[in-house]
Structure formats: C-alpha cells, structure tokens
Amino acid sequence: MKKVLKFIGLGLAAVFFVAICAAAYVQVRGIPSYDKPQVAAQHIAVTPVRLAQGQKIVSAMCADCHLDRSTGALSGKLMNDLPPEFGRLYSANITQDKANGIGTWTDEEIVGLLRTGIGRDGRFRIVMPNFVHMSDEDVASVVAFLRSNDRLVAANATPTHAQEPSFLAKTLVHTVMKPTPMPTSAVVAPPATDAVAYGRYLVLGRYKCYDCHSKDFKTNNALEPEKSEGYLGGGTHMLTPEGTDIVTRNITADPETGIGDWTEAQFVEAVRFGQSPNGPLKLPMPKFTLMDETEAKAIYAYLRTLPVIKNATPEDGGGAVAAR
Ligand code: HEC
Ligand code: HEC
C-alpha cells in the first residue's frame, strides 16, 4: 500500500514538475516563431479594378483594428476592445512608411502574413486574423491597395508599439492560436451569378462573417469553417469599443432566434448600413459600407440554405430596447 502511495506521490510530483517547466517555457519564450512561409514569387500588378476591390476589403476587414483615428491612417493602435486578460496588445503600422510601416515588405511577405499569420521575421502575429479562404485575386487586391496613395496607407511614421501579452495570451499562442498553412493550390472565388456559392465564399473567405458569428473563437475551425461549433448561430462574446460585453447574433434562418423572419431588403440594409429592424448595429460588427448589393443579396441567399440553429441571443428575449 505504502509503495502505491509513494508511486502516486512521485507521479504527482512529476506532473507538477512538467507543468512548472511548461509555464516557465511559455513565459520565457513568449510569442513563438516559425519558419517563414514559402510563397511563390510574384509581382502583384496594380490595376484600377484591384484598387477599388482592395479599398472595399480593407475598409471592412482591416480598418477597425489598424485605423488610428488621431492619424487618420492605418498606423496601428492599442486594441482596447480585447478582454484585458490578454494583456495590452497593439495592431501594427501597415502604412507604406519604410521604417515603421510595411514599406519594405515584399508582395510575398505580405501574402504570407495574410495567409498564415507569420510575419517576415518568422514571429507569429497575434490577434491578426488569417485569411485562409480569401481568393488569390482578393488577396492581390488588398496588397495593391496597401501600395496605393490613399490617405489610409500613405507613409506615416508612427512606430508600432511592442506587444505586452499576458501569460494567458502567451499560453494561447502555444496551444490554440496557431498559424494556418499556405494554400497548396489556387484559391478562386465562384462567379457572382451563382448567388449561393458566391455568398458562401463571402461568408468564409472575403468577409469571414463565420469567425465572429459562430459559437466561440476557440472552437472555430479555420481550415474547414463550416465545421466550427454553432456555425453562424451566434454566441461569441466580444467587447464594444466602450468595453461592454456584446454577444454576436444568430444569423441562421431560424424565425425566432435567428433572422428567418427578415426580408432580403432588411438584411441588405442591416449588413451594408448597420440598420437592423431592431435598431442600429454596434461595433465590433464591421461597417460594410462599400459592400455592393449583389454581395449582400448573395450572403442572404446562402444563409437561407443552411441548417437552422436555435440559439437565442440577447435581442431575442427582452425586445429591442432591453437588448441594446
Ligand atoms: C482583429 C484585429 C485585426 C484585423 C481585423 C486585422 N489586423 Fe492586421 N494586425 C493586427 C494586430 C494586433 C497586429 C500585430 C500583431 C503582432 O504584432 O503580434 C497585426 C499585424 C498586421 C501586419 C504585420 C505588420 C508588422 O509590421 O508586423 C500586417 C501586414 C497586417 N496586420 C495587415 C492587415 C490587413 C491587410 C488586414 C485586413 C485584410 C488586417 N491586418 C486585419 C490586428 C488586426
Ligand atoms: C468582427 C466581428 C463580426 C464580423 C466579422 C461580422 N459581424 Fe455581424 N455582428 C457582430 C456583432 C458583435 C453583432 C451584434 C451587433 C449589435 O447587436 O449591435 C453583429 C450583428 C449582425 C447582424 C444583426 C443580427 C440581428 O439579429 O440583429 C447581422 C445581420 C450580421 N451581424 C451579419 C453579418 C454578416 C453578413 C457578416 C459578414 C459579411 C458579419 N455580420 C460579420 C460581429 C461581427
């Protein structure tokens, strides 16, 4: 009996020792680095079509995190809408400034970062979402716009603030938050004439609606988004810019807890202009002001084809006023 106890004691001591080592490792090593992503050599041509497309995507998908209102440029800022237990994290200066922005990054380096989350120095970028399913053409458009002389991206010398991740944030990047692999073949968007397929692409690839609108960031499946828990049924907790808790909404077609009772026109109005039948939509729901009507209608058509999820979010219970 004594022997067994001694054995268990030793076992526990070993587990404890391993845990301490793991914690020390995480604390010392901080944010992990990886091999630089292998990106096929390319020179992204800048065309008027790409500039317009890039502007549309960047203003919806990048500005909320990278825009500093005091400079009017994507010069980076404190991510004050992250839960404080992550520490103090800052978005980067992604203007064309050569010293402080991404003015000296090659096309391949920007593409590699957008696809995998790994920077040109190999360091994994935290909080920065990765755009795995975005089409090659859309990615090229984003890069083209980042090189344009739009005031959002014109060189601005504000230095990027060093990250101050908490132990929790460091632990997460060693466990659940990992880089995504480079796509192994061409990523092509379906034609806009095929509304349902196009809508699916917009939800997964171009605008990543599923990322916020499923059950929890931690259970999202980056490579196969449709396998994310509670896919598009809402429930992810986020913070508004004022720091109050907000739960993302169920956007499946359930008539009671989702948007099954919304008309197409109501949906288009809510997504493009932030006006839902229940009132104005708050950040972090992005403002998709430059999204065109075809895109919004395609998303609506796709959402209608999905399995319905019953998941009541705050606006379903207490009526418009109580919910907001
Ligand atoms: C949810 C917030 C968020 C969104 C949305 C976002 N970013 Fe970021 N991005 C960050 C943060 C935070 C960092 C810095 C991370 C770090 O240093 O670990 C970053 C880093 C970067 C970097 C690396 C710059 C450097 O010098 O290290 C580039 C390039 C970049 N983002 C481009 C983009 C583009 C283009 C988009 C839109 C397609 C975008 N980001 C969308 C938060 C975001
Ligand atoms: C960065 C996270 C985020 C992304 C990306 C996002 N949303 Fe949202 N969305 C939210 C949040 C948070 C709310 C709740 C806003 C509120 O209630 O004021 C919301 C609300 C909504 C609503 C209102 C639903 C209701 O019942 O009131 C619709 C519709 C919607 N989003 C559609 C979309 C679509 C379509 C996309 C992609 C094109 C998308 N969202 C992308 C976070 C996001």
Side-chain angles (χ1 to χ4, degrees):
M1 185 63 191
K2 252 191 176 162
K3 246 188 182 163
V4 174
L5 278 183
K6 197 173 167 194
F7 188 68
I8 293 177
L10 276 176
L12 281 179
V15 168
F16 190 62
F17 180 71
V18 169
I20 298 268
C21 289
Y25 173 79
V26 162
Q27 185 62 29
V28 170
R29 192 161 173 240
I31 307 302
S33 284
Y34 298 86
D35 290 340
K36 204 171 159 177
Q38 294 297 312
V39 184
Q42 48 197 285
H43 172 73
I44 294 173
V46 177
T47 64
V49 172
R50 280 189 173 159
L51 286 178
Q53 180 73 354
Q55 178 180 37
K56 175 163 90 175
I57 299 174
V58 169
S59 56
M61 300 308 295
C62 321
D64 282 341
C65 288
H66 284 276
L67 175 66
D68 175 357
R69 303 219 168 267
S70 68
T71 63
L74 304 183
S75 55
K77 61 162 185 168
L78 170 68
M79 304 294 305
N80 56 354
D81 49 358
L82 280 179
E85 53 269 29
F86 286 110
R88 286 167 75 82
L89 300 176
Y90 301 81
S91 64
N93 180 338
I94 58 166
T95 71
Q96 288 165 35
D97 192 77
K98 288 199 164 55
N100 298 297
I102 54 169
T104 60
W105 286 44
T106 63
D107 289 352
E108 292 85 356
E109 286 168 345
I110 302 179
V111 171
L113 172 87
L114 292 175
R115 291 297 196 194
T116 69
I118 303 170
R120 67 169 176 178
D121 50 2
R123 183 175 64 80
F124 182 55
R125 300 299 193 261
I126 39 176
V127 182
M128 166 69 201
N130 37 50
F131 294 89
V132 185
H133 301 284
M134 190 180 271
S135 72
D136 295 335
E137 183 52 35
D138 278 350
V139 169
S141 301
V142 167
V143 175
F145 179 75
L146 293 176
R147 309 271 195 224
S148 74
N149 47 29
D150 190 280
R151 57 189 286 269
L152 281 179
V153 293
N156 179 291
T158 312
T160 296
H161 203 290
Q163 305 295 0
E164 298 160 15
S166 65
F167 181 69
L168 171 70
K170 289 184 196 168
T171 308
L172 286 175
V173 289
H174 282 275
T175 51
V176 286
M177 292 196 256
K178 295 270 176 172
T180 41
M182 278 300 290
T184 47
S185 52
V187 189
V188 181
T193 45
D194 185 348
V196 172
Y198 186 53
R200 174 177 176 274
Y201 166 69
L202 300 175
V203 167
L204 268 50
R206 185 178 293 162
Y207 297 124
K208 290 191 76 174
C209 320
Y210 87 91
D211 209 11
C212 294
H213 279 279
S214 302
K215 191 178 167 199
D216 192 327
F217 288 124
K218 291 197 283 299
T219 48
N220 279 349
N221 187 327
L223 293 181
E224 295 174 280
E226 287 143 306
K227 293 190 180 160
S228 301
E229 254 180 70
Y231 179 63
L232 297 175
T236 294
H237 282 263
M238 300 187 78
L239 289 179
T240 63
E242 296 76 42
T244 52
D245 183 67
I246 189 165
V247 182
T248 65
R249 308 308 195 206
N250 180 352
I251 56 171
T252 70
D254 182 52
E256 279 143 36
T257 66
I259 57 166
D261 55 344
W262 288 26
T263 64
E264 183 191 64
Q266 285 174 325
F267 179 80
V268 171
E269 182 74 11
V271 176
R272 291 179 72 205
F273 306 112
Q275 289 296 329
S276 100
N278 304 323
L281 295 178
K282 293 195 199 119
L283 281 168
M285 168 69 186
K287 300 263 175 284
F288 294 101
T289 330
L290 298 179
M291 180 189 281
D292 59 58
E293 209 173 318
T294 315
E295 292 176 288
K297 287 182 173 173
I299 295 174
Y300 183 79
Y302 167 65
L303 293 177
R304 298 255 136 180
T305 67
L306 293 178
V308 160
I309 293 180
K310 279 224 173 294
N311 180 28
T313 39
E315 85 288 8
D316 304 311
V321 180
R324 286 172 202 282

